[in-house]
Structures are given as C-alpha cells and as structure tokens.
C-alpha cells in the first residue's frame, strides 16, 4: 500500500515537471511602471503583472505611492491598525507598497483593497528576476476573496522597492504611472487568442472558476468569432508517462496510447470514480469538436458544446461519458462520425496527431512562455495575467485590436446575442405548439423549459420538456393524440391522475401517436338484443330497434313505446292518489288535535251554565254575556 502511494507521488511529480522537458521556459508577463517624481528616482522600471485582480489592459493608471507604518507585509486586515487608503476628492489614486513574505500574494492585495487603495505594489524580499504572483492552490478559504479582487497588482524588484521606501520616508511625494498599453500587442484588426483548459470538473476551485468563465464569456466570444474579429483556438494540456512506468496500474489508468497522453486522476484515487484517461479522451473529443466545427465555418459551436457538456454530463452525476457527449453533439447538429474519426483509437501504440500537436504547443515559442498554469489565456501570443472573468478578459482581447478597429462589443456596455435562431441553440422545441426551451441572455443562450400561460414545463431543456398539472391539455393537447371530425373534437389528453395520454371512449391506441376508432358493431360490444340493429359511426355507434320499439342504451334493450306510455299514465295516477292520501291524512291530524279540542271546550262551557260542577270553580266561557 505504501509503495503504491509512493509511486503515485512520483508519477504526479513527474507529470507536473515534464511540461517543460523540451527546452521550455516560463515567461513573466510585465507591464511598465514609470516614476514621475521625485527627480532622484525618476525613470521607467519593470514590474510583473499579478495573476489575479483586473489589470487595466490597453490603458494606464497614475497614482501616489504610500508605505504603511504598520502591517507592512499586508498579511492582516488594515482596519485592525486603524489604517485606510481612500483617495481624497481631486487627488491621485493611492498605490500601496507592501513587502513580500509571510502570506499569499493574493491575501496582501485583498487586505489592501479592503482598506480603499486603487493598486498594490509588492516589493520582493530578495534580489532575483521577477516572477509571476499567482493564486494559492485549491484553498476554499482563499477562493472566497480571490474572486473578489478587482484592483491591479504588480511585483517589483527589491532594490526598486528600497528606493521607493527611502523616498517616502524622506517626505517626498512619490508619483508613479502603471502602463498596460503594451502588455498585449495590437498589430492589426484581428485578435488571435487561445484558452488552455480542461474538461475535468472535479479538480477543485480552479475548475469551478474555469467552468463559470466559459459559461459567462461564451456570448461575447461567439459574437467576436461570428463577426470575424477574432481567431480563437482551444488547447488542452496533456503529459506523458515515463517509459519505466508505462505498464504500471497508475499509468494505465491515467494515460491513453500506451502512456503517451495522460491526465491526473480526477479524485486522486485509482480504485474508484473516473480515471485520468477518461479526462484525456474527453479533452480529445472537445478538440475534435472544435476541428470539425471549424471545418464547417462554425468554430463558435465549441463554446456551446463545452458549456452544454458541463451542464448535462457532470462527474458528480456519473454522466461524464461517451453516451452523454454524443447526445450533446447530436443536439448541436455536428457530424459525430467525423468527430470519431478525428479522435482515432486511444488503445493503439502510436502517436495521436491531435494530441501530439497539443503537446508540442505547450512549449513556449517566441515571446510566449510554456503553458504551466491551468487555466491560461493567451492573447496575441502573450499570456494573459489577471482574474479570469468576462469583463477583464474582454478588455484584454479588445486591447489587442489596432486603434480605431475595435468592434462594437468593445465599445458598448452590453453584448446582444441571438443564438436561438441557429438550430434553436440545440435546445428542445415543439414546432407544432411554437414552443422552445432556448433563451437568449447576456451570457449566451441557455436551455430551460418554458413557462407558458402559468403552466411550467419540466425537463432537461435539451432533449425533453413536458407540461404537467391542470391546464396541460390546453397547450397542444399536452402532446397527446387529437383529431376533429364531423364537427366533434376528440383528445387523448388527461389533465389529472398519473395517466397523461389515454384514448377517449370508442377509441384504442397509445394515446400519443394514434387512437383508432373501435367498431363496436363488428366486435359485438353494443346492440346485442335480438330486436337491435347496429350501425358504427366514427368514435361511437348508433343502435335502432325494429317496429315501434324504443332502444334503451344503458340496458342495451328494446321496449314497446305504448307500454312505456301506459306505464307513464299509471305512474301519474299513482302520484295523484298518493298526493290525495297525504292531504287527507293532514286534515285528519288537524281535526284531531286542534279543531276537536276547541269544540270540546265550547260544549263544556255551555253545559257548565246549566249544570255547574262542584269541582269546577270557574269555567272559561267563550259565549257572549248578552246571549246568556
């Protein structure tokens, strides 16, 4: 077990080192820093652009340099020392000088930004050639502030930093100008840029950042490409396995073509999950998607494929595979056979032309250094340094155009897209109901099931959207079979219950594609009485009886019309008799309990006048005294 771990460490270390195995070198991208005062240090100096924040590509920024009395390395928040660097109205922006050491470069810049500064200069702590200040590796705590850094930063040499500190301590006002106008060459009216990326979506913070950038930048990239303003090329880093380890389990799981092209295991666990060779194969597929799309003059479809693959085929959902990739390719109308031919056989013991070209391109040529950082953006053969965000990258690309040749996207604040017009953006649509899941947004098209008249469609938005719940039958009959004939409309749509498409009575079928009329007469499902005569109609039937007989549909029988009339007459008689009986009964009850008691009291009163009773002192007399 320990040997396996050791081998894994050795291989990983080799994979990281072997990028620059062919006389490569890392080129530090620089911008110009000019001191305009004081006179004794006036001049132009080199500074290395930080690989985070937002450099002002194509522009410049003037400011006044300050050196804090406390927290000079910037590793703590400046509000703990009651220090802030806000620019006063009418004054130059504040550039803060801090020393290298004790914490990450990005944390220094973040703390200075929170204190109100406009830019950061980091003074090296040893005399050496300038290096690129990069972000820390896969640190969830640092990622929370790195993505929010918006000010530019630059590393300066130790001797220059000491000169700045000496001038500031001598009460001199130190004014400098940071200039990025020559950081990106701008020779003509077309910008060539490339993105070194990766299809692995489980490599941590940087993978998440890359995926978010691709989705965000897609709309602008496609407008630039469709207008012929740019020439974009995607690239993928691969490594090779050392000859001594090609037959090892680790190399076999991480490499294809017998160790020639490798990628690290996504989970860093050779016993579970996806393997590094799965990533290499998908990287190769994405390269071939670009090549095939480019051959048909639709190179921008690469952006659609990559974003759709990220959404539809994530590793976490176990969908990172060929079947899911083929579904995305099909939805975009690309030729899958050409893509398969481009990819070749990953098991053959020979070079793959596409991946061999990628490995050669990793090595720096001319003014561009080796590609050693993922992701890396190269604009006009210069490596971009700064935050990988839409606004910052677009500014860098636009600075690569010759003056007065910039496209409108570089001059306006908004980016308009209309990707749904071409192949419906590869999204789901129902042409019969004129419904689509394609939506144009500032970030490019998205595939989301629509909301129609308060009814929400549900599905993945790419291949499937379905209405559910009450009201679904009002929209294209819920996708069920329907037909109108002889003034009647029949539908198989059911609004409630688990069954959504069910043929109506008188029909049989799947309810979706067809419902066939049932011949009730032929199948003897109606008119079975001896006197019945059956005639089939579309969706129903007609049953008649011979002579003067009347057909009763509920009982499937014939009865005499006269017999029916006699029964009806006797029913009326019985109703009358019952009514009379009820009236008589009521009258009797009134007589018994009301009228009779009244008459008895009158008789008793009259008799009491002539024969008084000893036991009755007084009897109410209802007879008038005049009559007595």
């Amino acid at each position: 077990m320990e040997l396996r771990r050791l081998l894994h460490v050795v291989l990983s270390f080799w994979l990281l080192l072997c990028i620059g195995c062919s006389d490569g070198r890392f080129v530090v991208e620089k911008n110009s820093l000019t001191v305009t005062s004081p006179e004794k240090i006036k001049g132009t100096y080199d500074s290395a652009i930080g690989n985070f924040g937002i450099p002002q590509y194509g522009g410049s920024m003037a400011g006044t340099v300050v050196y804090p009395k406390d927290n000079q390395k910037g590793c703590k928040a400046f509000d703990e020392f009651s220090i802030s660097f806000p620019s006063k109205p009418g004054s130059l922006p504040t550039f803060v000088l801090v020393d290298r050491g004790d914490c990450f470069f990005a944390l220094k810049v973040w703390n200075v930004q929170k204190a109100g500064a406009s830019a950061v200069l980091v003074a090296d702590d040893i005399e050496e050639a300038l290096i690129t200040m990069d972000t820390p590796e896969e640190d969830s705590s640092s990622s929370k502030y790195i993505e929010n850094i918006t000010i530019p930063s630059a590393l300066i040499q130790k001797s220059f930093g000491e000169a700045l500190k000496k001038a500031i301590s001598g009460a001199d006002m130190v004014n400098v100008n940071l200039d990025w106008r020559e950081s990106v060459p701008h020779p003509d009216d077309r910008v060539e840029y490339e993105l070194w990326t990766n299809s692995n979506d489980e490599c941590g913070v940087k993978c998440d950042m890359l995926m978010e950038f691709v989705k965000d930048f897609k709309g602008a990239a496609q407008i630039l490409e469709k207008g012929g303003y740019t020439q974009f090329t995607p690239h993928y880093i691969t490594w090779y396995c050392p000859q001594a380890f090609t037959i090892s389990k680790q190399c076999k799981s991480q490499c294809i073509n017998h160790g020639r092209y490798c990628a690290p295991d996504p989970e860093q666990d050779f016993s579970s999950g996806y393997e590094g060779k799965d990533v290499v194969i998908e990287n190769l597929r994405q390269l071939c998607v670009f090549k095939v799309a480019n051959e048909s003059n639709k190179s921008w479809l690469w952006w659609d494929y990559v974003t759709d693959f990220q959404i539809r085929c994530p590793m976490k959902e176990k969908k990172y595979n060929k079947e899911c990739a083929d579904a995305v390719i099909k939805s975009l109308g690309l030729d899958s056979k050409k893509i398969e031919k481009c990819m070749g056989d990953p098991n053959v013991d020979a070079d793959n032309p596409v991946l061999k070209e990628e490995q050669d391109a990793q090595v720096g040529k001319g003014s561009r250094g080796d590609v050693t950082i993922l992701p890396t953006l190269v604009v006009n053969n210069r490596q971009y340094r700064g935050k990988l965000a839409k606004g910052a990258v677009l500014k860098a690309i636009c600075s690569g155009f010759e003056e007065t040749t910039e496209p409108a996207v570089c001059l306006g604040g908004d980016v308009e897209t209309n990707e749904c017009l071409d192949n419906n953006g590869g999204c789901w649509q129902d042409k019969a109901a004129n419904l689509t899941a394609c939506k144009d947004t500032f970030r490019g098209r998205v595939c989301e099931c629509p909301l129609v008249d308060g009814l929400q469609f549900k599905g993945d938005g790419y291949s499937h959207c379905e209405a559910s719940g009450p009201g679904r039958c009002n929209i294209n009959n819920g996708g069920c079979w329907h037909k109108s004939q002889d003034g009647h409309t029949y539908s198989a749509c059911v609004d409630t219950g688990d069954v959504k498409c069910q043929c109506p009575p008188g029909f049989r079928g799947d309810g979706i594609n067809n419902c066939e009329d049932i011949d009730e007469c032929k199948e003897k499902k109606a008119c079975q009485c001896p006197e019945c005569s059956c005639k089939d109609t579309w969706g129903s039937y007609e049953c008649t009886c011979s002579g003067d007989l009347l057909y009763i549909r509920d009982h499937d029988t014939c009865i005499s019309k006269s017999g029916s009339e006699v029964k009806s007459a006797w029913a009326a008689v019985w109703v009358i008799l019952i009514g009379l009986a009820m009236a008589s009964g009521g009258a009797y009850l009134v007589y018994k309990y009301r009228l009779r008691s009244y008459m008895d009291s009158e008789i008793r009163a009259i008799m009491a006048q002539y024969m008084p009773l000893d036991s009755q002192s007084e009897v109410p007399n209802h007879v008038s005294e005049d009559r007595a």
Side-chain angles (χ1 to χ4, degrees), residues 203-234:
C203 63
V205 175
K206 286 198 173 183
C207 275
D208 296 339
M209 177 186 66
L210 174 61
M211 288 189 291
E212 188 62 29
F213 166 73
V214 171
K215 293 176 186 175
D216 200 22
F217 193 68
K218 183 184 72 167
Q222 290 181 323
I223 283 180
L224 290 170
E225 202 71 10
K226 290 177 181 179
Y229 301 113
T230 58
Q231 180 178 311
F232 167 72
T233 307

Side-chain angles (χ1 to χ4, degrees), residues 18 45 55 92 117 216 223 259 268 273 280 286 332 336-337 386 399 416 457 495 505 572 579 583 599 611:
C18 68
Y45 304 83
L92 288 173
D216 200 22
I223 283 180
Q268 299 300 310
V280 179
Q286 294 187 6
L332 296 175
S336 59
K337 292 184 178 179
S399 69
E416 295 294 335
F457 282 69
D495 258 342
M599 292 176 65
M611 292 184 298

Side-chain angles (χ1 to χ4, degrees), residues 313-385:
C313 314
M315 289 183 174
K316 288 181 180 179
E317 297 181 13
K318 307 301 180 184
K319 295 180 179 179
Y320 187 93
N321 52 45
K322 181 180 183 299
E323 290 74 23
C324 189
D326 287 343
V328 178
I329 290 170
K330 182 179 179 181
S331 70
L332 296 175
L334 292 167
D335 192 329
S336 59
K337 292 184 178 179
K338 286 186 178 180
I339 293 172
E340 290 290 333
K341 183 178 180 181
C342 168
M343 292 177 65
D345 184 0
N347 298 313
V348 69
D349 187 5
D351 285 335
N352 181 293
V354 176
L355 292 178
K356 182 67 169 62
E357 186 179 342
E358 291 297 293
Q359 283 188 343
D360 293 341
Q362 288 172 211
V363 181
K365 297 179 179 64
S367 60
R368 199 212 76 189
D370 297 341
V371 178
T372 58
I373 301 173
L374 270 180
T376 289
L377 187 76
V378 179
V379 182
N380 282 352
N381 211 36
R382 292 281 182 87
Q383 289 189 23
Y384 167 85
R385 294 287 183 249

